[in-house]
């Protein structure tokens, strides 16, 4: 079946531009996560949705970062007035609900969007 | 910043060798996950661990959830060239769903 897809795969933005990164989770997955991965580091949590509700946005580094998932499927991460320190790979992950109704903690990642701010 | 300490940072492998790596933390985690990431790709889930002391295998990979709940170990037996890549541990605390990742262990082939 189809995995998590992200677009664009690569984005170059001039400092000060706004960017929008898209994530299509695995069909039927309830939870969706965004992570930021700097070069040579592990992913760092940005924000988490359960269906359309944004339950945790504690990792968003500034108010220039905004994420939405209006219909509980596709999600968009928007970065306003990009800065050089925003250059990183942005990863999206999704996870399902188990038959028991319990949320799975296994997260499945997309290929990421590499953002370069010049 | 990273809250999980992964070691070693990098290692060289020769085909057929067994490989061990670990992840430690100063705080308790309720779930441990191990991922592998190839260049230009997202992390791929290898093994998930849910209970202290749990030992789980996936082919040539075996991972353990430490008894103290503050560490986890990954072993790869009889390594093959396609095992090269970056291995990440990730932990989930008791409350919340977000994962905390280590900085990764880079596996390279000995030439």
């Amino acid at each position: 079946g189809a995995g998590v897809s992200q677009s664009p795969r690569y984005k170059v933005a001039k400092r000060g531009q706004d960017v929008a990164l898209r994530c299509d989770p695995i069909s039927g997955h309830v939870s969706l996560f965004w992570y930021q991965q700097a070069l040579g580091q592990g992913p760092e949590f940005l924000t988490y949705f359960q269906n359309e509700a944004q339950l945790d946005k504690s990792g968003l580094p500034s108010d220039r970062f905004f994420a939405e998932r209006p219909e509980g499927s596709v999600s968009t991460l928007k970065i306003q007035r990009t800065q050089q320190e925003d250059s990183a790979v942005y990863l999206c992950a999704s996870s399902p609900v188990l038959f028991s109704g319990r949320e799975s903690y296994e997260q499945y990642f997309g290929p990421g969007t590499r953002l370069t701010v010049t | 910043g990273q809250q999980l300490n992964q070691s070693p940072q990098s290692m060289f492998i020769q085909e057929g060798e067994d490989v061990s790596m670990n992840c430690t933390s100063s705080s308790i985690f309720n779930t441990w996950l191990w991922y592998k990431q190839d260049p230009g790709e997202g992390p791929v889930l290898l093994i998930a661990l849910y209970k202290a002391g749990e030992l789980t295998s996936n082919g040539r990979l075996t991972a353990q959830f430490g008894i103290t709940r503050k560490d986890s170990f990954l072993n790869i037996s009889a390594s093959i060239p396609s095992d090269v890549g970056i291995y990440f541990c990730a932990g989930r605390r008791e409350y919340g769903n977000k994962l905390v990742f280590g900085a990764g262990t880079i596996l390279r082939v000995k030439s």
Side-chain angles (χ1 to χ4, degrees):
Chain A
V4 177
S5 60
Q6 293 186 244
S7 61
R9 291 293 312 274
Y10 303 91
K11 176 71 180 175
V12 179
K14 284 193 166 60
R15 194 161 55 108
Q17 275 185 334
D18 298 348
V19 298
L21 313 180
R22 177 188 165 105
C23 173
D24 276 272
I26 294 171
S27 177
H29 277 199
V30 167
S31 300
L32 185 146
F33 303 79
W34 284 98
Y35 291 83
Q36 181 189 59
Q37 186 174 25
L39 194 63
Q41 298 296 315
E44 292 209 13
F45 171 79
L46 293 176
T47 187
Y48 155 58
F49 290 85
Q50 189 175 82
N51 295 307
E52 68 278 3
Q54 190 174 19
L55 298 187
D56 185 350
K57 51 182 181 179
S58 61
L60 295 176
S62 77
D63 58 9
R64 296 185 295 103
F65 286 70
F66 171 76
E68 59 184 8
R69 194 186 185 198
E71 294 174 3
S73 56
V74 169
S75 176
T76 304
L77 176 68
K78 297 179 179 176
I79 309 173
Q80 297 177 322
R81 304 181 304 283
T82 52
Q83 305 293 315
Q84 282 193 312
E85 63 261 27
D86 300 336
S87 296
V89 174
Y90 291 85
L91 294 163
C92 175
S94 68
S95 66
V97 170
L98 303 175
F99 283 112
S100 61
R102 183 172 65 81
E103 196 167 346
S104 167
Y105 299 123
E106 297 175 12
Q107 296 182 22
Y108 298 90
F109 283 82
T113 295
R114 179 177 296 278
L115 173 65
T116 304
V117 182
T118 61
Chain B
Q2 249 75 46
Q3 299 169 46
L4 297 180
N5 300 307
Q6 257 189 274
S7 66
Q9 280 189 315
S10 67
M11 58 194 307
F12 286 89
I13 59 171
Q14 200 143 41
E15 189 170 352
E17 279 181 344
D18 294 347
V19 171
S20 292
M21 61 190 79
N22 68 77
C23 197
T24 60
S25 171
S26 57
S27 54
I28 286 172
F29 286 90
N30 277 37
T31 306
W32 286 94
L33 303 167
W34 284 91
Y35 287 87
K36 178 174 183 270
Q37 187 173 29
D38 291 327
E41 299 297 326
V44 173
L45 181 63
L46 299 174
I47 293 181
L49 302 157
Y50 292 97
K51 285 172 57 172
E54 181 182 351
L55 189 71
T56 297
S57 292
N58 177 7
R60 292 177 298 104
L61 276 60
T62 301
Q64 183 158 28
F65 192 139
I67 289 290
T68 65
R69 293 163 64 195
K70 293 182 180 180
D71 55 12
S72 181
F73 307 87
L74 177 70
N75 294 311
I76 305 172
S77 63
S79 56
I80 60 177
S82 61
D83 289 336
V84 302
I86 307 177
Y87 291 78
F88 289 102
C89 62
R92 185 195 68 85
R93 294 201 167 90
E94 183 176 6
Y95 299 108
N97 287 13
K98 68 182 181 187
L99 296 179
V100 176
F101 281 80
T105 292
I106 303 171
L107 240 57
R108 296 187 175 99
V109 174
K110 223 181 266 189
S111 58

